[in-house]
Amino acid sequence: MDATGICNQIDKRKLMMELAQGQESARRLQALLQNPVGEDGSELVGQLVEKVLRSLELGLDLLGPSSNQTGENGPRSPGGEQHQVTDFSFEEDPDKGDKKRPVTRDKRGCYKRRKSSQTTRVTVSSTTEDDHAWRKYGQKCILNSKFPRSYFRCTHKYDQGCKATKQVQMMEDDPCKYHTTYIGAHTCNRHPMTWDPPHTSDHVNEEINDPVEAKSDGSTTTIDNLSGFCPSLLEKPAFGLQEGRFDQSEDPVSMMYRLGMKDEEIQSEMECMLIGNSLGHYGFCDFHLDESYF
DNA sequence: TACATTTGACCTGC
DNA sequence: GCAGGTCAAATGTA
């Protein structure tokens, strides 16, 4: 099968999964309308509506960019967690080559605050440096804190739509160390879809709202259920899939690069993994799939 | 000149 | 109403 055929097959599968997900969310929404709070009290109508809309939007996107005419805002924030009032569509700036900036039509400070469920990770480090390029966009004095908090966004926010941000604050009890909170995963080209906290950090204090539940029983994860989603991965001997096991000591992206897979192949596999992951079929320990990538 | 940082304004969510 | 997060004009720097 040629590359186009594979892509079509994957896209079709993605489309079906998105629509199925939307259908499932709609069913749950229907149930919730009779009982406004979910059985465990955690799922609200608004959240389900958002899930339905997101699945439909992603499905429409898969059918083609022109299919999704849900708004005049152009490419939507795919993860749906940052629907800025500030228009996030991109427009060519004739004065700045192909650099793209969001079109702003509202007053400054107009934005949608990230949901508290946004993936975050907190580290303490003696340096604020890490492997990514960050651009400072703000600084605030925090109540009851001796030191101000600095806000950074990924340098590739506008040219690649990367939504990763971090907040850095000097620690009161040890001003030589920085308390850094990473919010969202990088989706810029440098390291697509990998969670990438600084390797220089002394330790990771805590991880909050991680979208992927880490396995507690060791370093491997059974992936039998994934076979229907990632056929080409099954052909990669180094993944150890013949035994139905996945070695988590190496993050999948690095492994695929090492195996010589092309960027587009890697992206396709990541998309498959995301689908499997969203259905609860799959989980990584130190690897996080962020739906915002799509 | 292009890009990064600073800083006050303004918005959102609690 | 307040604290915190983000925006964007002004300013700095290479």
Side-chain angles (χ1 to χ4, degrees), chain A residues 213-248:
Chain A
E213 186 181 353
K215 297 286 181 181
S216 58
D217 59 347
S219 61
T220 59
T221 300
T222 308
I223 62 160
D224 293 339
N225 292 336
L226 196 64
S227 56
F229 295 103
C230 300
S232 57
L233 272 187
L234 294 173
E235 298 166 8
K236 300 290 181 183
F239 268 81
L241 298 187
Q242 296 88 339
E243 294 80 27
R245 312 287 291 178
F246 177 79
D247 180 2
Q248 294 190 8

Side-chain angles (χ1 to χ4, degrees), chain A residues 169-217:
Chain A
Q169 192 168 7
M170 284 174 68
M171 299 187 73
E172 286 191 41
D173 52 350
D174 188 356
C176 295
K177 291 188 185 297
Y178 298 91
H179 186 273
T180 305
T181 303
Y182 292 86
I183 303 168
H186 281 276
T187 58
C188 49
N189 271 345
R190 188 198 146 273
H191 229 30
M193 302 183 63
T194 57
W195 180 262
D196 201 8
H199 301 300
T200 52
S201 64
D202 296 338
H203 60 275
V204 175
N205 277 350
E206 54 185 319
E207 192 169 327
I208 308 168
N209 298 323
D210 189 48
V212 178
E213 186 181 353
K215 297 286 181 181
S216 58
D217 59 347

Side-chain angles (χ1 to χ4, degrees), chain A residues 18 20 28 46-47 54-55 61 116 122 134 145 173 189 198 201 207 215 221 226 232 269-270 273:
Chain A
E18 283 302 336
R28 285 155 65 188
Q47 292 174 306
R54 190 174 61 192
S55 290
D61 282 343
S116 57
V122 178
W134 298 96
S145 287
D173 52 350
N189 271 345
S201 64
E207 192 169 327
K215 297 286 181 181
T221 300
L226 196 64
S232 57
E269 298 305 343
M270 291 295 102
M273 287 181 184

